[in-house]
Amino acid sequence: DIHSYTLGILLEFIYLIPILHEIRSTDFPDLIKLANTFQLKTLSEFLNKARHMTDPVQKSTLMIAYQYKFTELARNQLKNFVKNDIIGRHIDIADDSNILEIPDPAKSVPFPDIYLVVENHAGTKRIYPCHIAMLSRADFFKELVKSDFQDGRKYQIRRSSQAKSDDTTDILCLELPTCEFGVAESIINYLYYDRADIDPNYAFEVIRIADYIMASRLKNIAAAAITQSPDVLVSNTIFDVLRLAWETGVERLEQFGAKYIAQHIQGLSSSKELYDVILESSRRISSREELDTIELVADIRFYLLGKYDLEPEDISLLETDADDTEFLQSLGLLDYKDDMITLNKIVTDLGLSI
């Protein structure tokens, strides 16, 4: 007979709850037996090593190493599961019919309890068999669970193409905003096994969908893909990046945009779009007061200091050492001054306060 406490430890282990430190010396024999029965080879390996250890430091080191090993093993298993049984079993919808001819979800892998419906920009629809427990890692789906999926759409599922016309069942479907299938699959990969590498070509749309499903961490991951990509400004402008940042509330992109403008202020000074985004930034101040600042302008000024490796107190040298132009030039202060004149001219041309 297996004690219920020991069985509980095994269940927590299967659900990736760190419980190795809770295993008592008396639990080892039953746990090893259970691990062998359920073919949990890595757990059995750990237990057989740990049961004979007496040095607490050595035992703690072993636990940390194996806990990491367990987590990575589970992630790889989930990765293969998603690739083969979630994304690999997607269903393309040929029309707007509410009846889909697919295998009975209760009798076929991956035994979904919800379908994620995606329409790409070409108008093609695709559904992915998913699981509420995994999608609920995003707050949007978690809230839907709490509301009993009142906003969900139910499709009738015909169990097979040979089935009778009345041989149907209902299954819940949720639709994402229009996006490319690669974007939806990036979302699924993240929710199922925390995949953090986002294709920069999809990163803009991933941020928008992540914002929609309230997955803040995924927004930041996709933002990192944008800011670290050398090709980010090939198909998008820096102004696209800024507007995306404002739309979705991603500060990293705001800072990236402001820094880029500071680095290229002279080349962008005649750009109508630069004027436009500064004006848009000024309108983002909810109730203007005398001391309000335009956030984008303030950020650009900050990065202009960094551009020339200056500190705020260095600026006073422009007055105290105004005649020593060679000294000021060596510090980068004259170039900084030119950039500030350019920025301030844009602001005053827009009728805004410097």
Side-chain angles (χ1 to χ4, degrees):
D1 292 338
I2 302 297
H3 195 279
S4 60
Y5 177 81
T6 308
L7 185 59
I9 287 179
L10 183 73
L11 290 173
E12 288 187 81
F13 168 80
I14 291 172
Y15 280 92
L16 299 181
I17 298 171
I19 46 79
L20 300 184
H21 62 284
E22 297 180 11
I23 299 174
R24 304 169 303 194
S25 59
T26 54
D27 298 325
F28 278 93
D30 283 345
L31 273 176
I32 291 173
K33 188 185 298 182
L34 284 172
N36 291 333
T37 299
F38 291 103
Q39 299 180 26
L40 300 172
K41 296 179 181 179
T42 311
L43 177 59
S44 179
E45 182 182 296
F46 164 77
L47 293 169
N48 280 301
K49 288 182 179 180
R51 70 185 302 188
H52 302 298
M53 284 185 175
T54 56
D55 183 344
V57 175
Q58 188 180 15
K59 196 169 185 176
S60 177
T61 301
L62 186 72
M63 285 182 187
I64 293 170
Y66 267 87
Q67 192 63 61
Y68 176 79
K69 192 173 183 178
F70 296 149
T71 302
E72 287 305 297
L73 177 62
R75 286 185 77 249
N76 286 328
Q77 290 172 339
L78 274 172
K79 179 179 179 180
N80 290 329
F81 174 73
V82 171
K83 178 181 177 182
N84 298 323
D85 295 316
I86 303 294
I87 295 173
R89 294 178 186 267
H90 72 261
I91 302 161
D92 289 322
I93 304 176
D95 52 44
D96 290 330
S97 171
N98 272 3
I99 297 182
L100 306 176
E101 293 187 358
I102 63 171
D104 186 345
K107 298 178 181 178
S108 59
V109 175
F111 307 104
D113 52 11
I114 190 169
Y115 279 104
L116 203 57
V117 183
V118 180
E119 182 175 352
N120 67 10
H121 296 294
T124 303
K125 277 191 176 182
R126 176 174 291 180
I127 64 175
Y128 297 91
C130 293
H131 305 87
I132 294 169
M134 303 307 292
L135 297 187
S136 293
R137 289 189 62 211
D139 288 343
F140 171 79
F141 297 112
K142 190 182 297 182
E143 292 301 315
L144 283 177
V145 171
K146 291 180 181 178
S147 68
D148 199 26
F149 294 97
Q150 292 178 6
D151 296 330
R153 175 180 178 182
K154 287 187 177 179
Y155 283 86
Q156 284 190 315
I157 307 301
R158 183 172 293 145
R159 291 186 173 85
S160 71
S161 56
Q162 289 78 32
K164 298 177 181 178
S165 59
D166 60 349
D167 188 15
T168 62
T169 187
D170 287 341
I171 189 168
L172 189 71
C173 294
L174 288 175
E175 298 189 27
L176 287 180
T178 300
C179 65
E180 294 304 321
F181 297 142
V183 172
E185 290 166 11
S186 294
I187 301 289
I188 292 170
N189 284 329
Y190 170 77
L191 292 177
Y192 270 81
Y193 64 93
D194 221 26
R195 180 175 174 179
D197 53 322
I198 304 295
D199 185 336
N201 294 317
Y202 291 141
F204 271 65
E205 277 198 296
V206 168
I207 288 176
R208 288 193 173 95
I209 301 300
D211 186 58
Y212 177 83
I213 67 172
M214 296 183 283
S216 298
R217 181 168 175 267
L218 180 56
K219 284 198 297 185
N220 290 326
I221 290 171
I226 290 174
T227 58
Q228 293 169 9
S229 170
D231 303 321
V232 63
L233 299 180
V234 173
S235 54
N236 300 282
T237 69
I238 196 63
F239 310 110
D240 295 328
V241 174
L242 272 172
R243 291 187 174 103
L244 176 67
W246 292 336
E247 175 190 337
T248 58
V250 181
E251 185 178 354
R252 179 174 185 146
L253 294 183
E254 286 191 60
Q255 299 305 314
F256 176 76
K259 184 175 182 179
Y260 182 92
I261 291 171
Q263 293 291 334
H264 302 85
I265 185 72
Q266 297 301 333
L268 293 171
S269 61
S270 59
S271 168
K272 180 181 180 300
E273 283 198 273
L274 178 55
Y275 280 73
D276 289 343
V277 292
I278 289 176
L279 193 59
E280 288 171 36
S281 181
S282 72
R283 291 169 179 164
R284 289 172 55 80
I285 302 173
S286 55
S287 57
R288 289 201 50 86
E289 298 176 2
E290 185 177 350
L291 296 179
D292 281 343
T293 59
I294 302 170
E295 189 172 14
L296 177 58
V297 173
D299 288 342
I300 294 171
R301 286 173 177 156
F302 171 79
Y303 284 112
L304 282 175
L305 287 171
K307 179 180 178 179
Y308 298 104
D309 198 23
L310 298 172
E311 298 293 336
E313 52 268 26
D314 295 333
I315 308 306
S316 61
L317 295 174
L318 286 168
E319 296 181 4
T320 59
D321 294 76
D323 295 331
D324 194 346
T325 55
E326 185 175 343
F327 171 66
L328 295 176
Q329 185 64 52
S330 69
L331 294 178
L333 277 165
L334 294 184
D335 291 331
Y336 167 81
K337 181 180 178 181
D338 288 342
D339 285 353
M340 284 296 295
I341 290 172
T342 298
L343 178 61
N344 290 337
K345 181 179 184 302
I346 295 171
V347 174
T348 54
D349 286 349
L350 288 168
L352 303 171
S353 173
I354 295 179

